[in-house]
Amino acid sequence: MAEGTTVDLIRLGEGESSLGVRVLGRTMPGVLPWHDFLDAEIVVTSGFAQGRLEVCLAPDDLDGWAQALGALAAGRDVVWMDDGRNPEIRFEPSGQSGVALVVVTDAVGSGTSVRGPLRLADGWADDHYERLQRVRVSWPQKVVETSPAPTSGGAELLSAVASR
């Protein structure tokens, strides 16, 4: 992906109310174990409020979003990023076809929350699975496991090999 390119992981709503999560890029490219964390921003707009929050998405957050998409598409309540590290996003189907109530709560940072209904366009779930796939293709997970810290025994072994 080209430098400076962004990908919308979430883009829901239209008109006065919307929710977006835009992935901006890797948090610390090339630095283990932060290489696979992604800088992102949550942008919420309602009839009278607008807010933007910077977040850091871990690989587990993307897996959690995939699970949340399935539950939301099935009409169930969903809470995404409820680990206390980032703002929490709660989705509650409203009972009206194609409308969900969304609550973004920034308990750790500002202590504020925004709540509002969002219209879910036809095909929104398939669109969001494609968005998730675009994020994963743009920033594939490369760090599967970091290597353990060297032990003194390992250093002695390397020293012995080097002296031969």
Side-chain angles (χ1 to χ4, degrees):
M1 176 139 270
E3 187 70 26
T5 303
T6 63
V7 176
D8 287 337
L9 176 63
I10 300 174
R11 177 61 50 204
L12 293 171
E14 54 190 39
E16 289 187 353
S17 296
S18 65
L19 168 69
V21 175
R22 177 171 292 145
V23 179
L24 306 172
R26 291 196 191 275
T27 296
M28 298 177 77
V31 178
L32 298 179
W34 299 104
H35 182 78
D36 288 336
F37 286 71
L38 301 174
D39 287 333
E41 62 184 4
I42 299 171
V43 179
V44 182
T45 305
S46 69
F48 67 93
Q50 184 171 3
R52 182 182 160 282
L53 298 165
E54 294 179 359
V55 296
C56 179
L57 300 176
D60 289 347
D61 293 326
L62 297 180
D63 295 339
W65 177 236
Q67 293 172 355
L69 274 173
L72 188 57
R76 295 191 305 269
D77 289 2
V78 174
V79 179
W80 181 50
M81 295 194 301
D82 59 347
D83 59 4
R85 187 175 43 82
N86 282 318
E88 174 184 286
I89 302 176
R90 180 179 303 277
F91 299 88
E92 302 169 0
S94 69
Q96 296 178 11
S97 179
V99 176
L101 181 64
V102 176
V103 182
V104 178
T105 304
D106 183 27
V108 175
S110 66
T112 62
S113 68
V114 176
R115 176 185 182 106
L118 293 180
R119 182 156 305 282
L120 303 176
D122 291 340
W124 72 268
D126 290 337
D127 175 52
H128 280 78
Y129 281 117
E130 289 174 17
R131 290 173 183 277
L132 175 60
Q133 186 58 29
R134 250 181 274 148
V135 168
R136 287 183 164 161
V137 166
S138 299
W139 295 284
Q141 187 173 350
K142 294 181 179 179
V143 178
V144 177
E145 183 178 326
T146 59
S147 60
T151 62
S152 62
E156 290 169 357
L157 178 61
L158 288 175
S159 178
V161 170
S163 66
R164 288 186 182 179

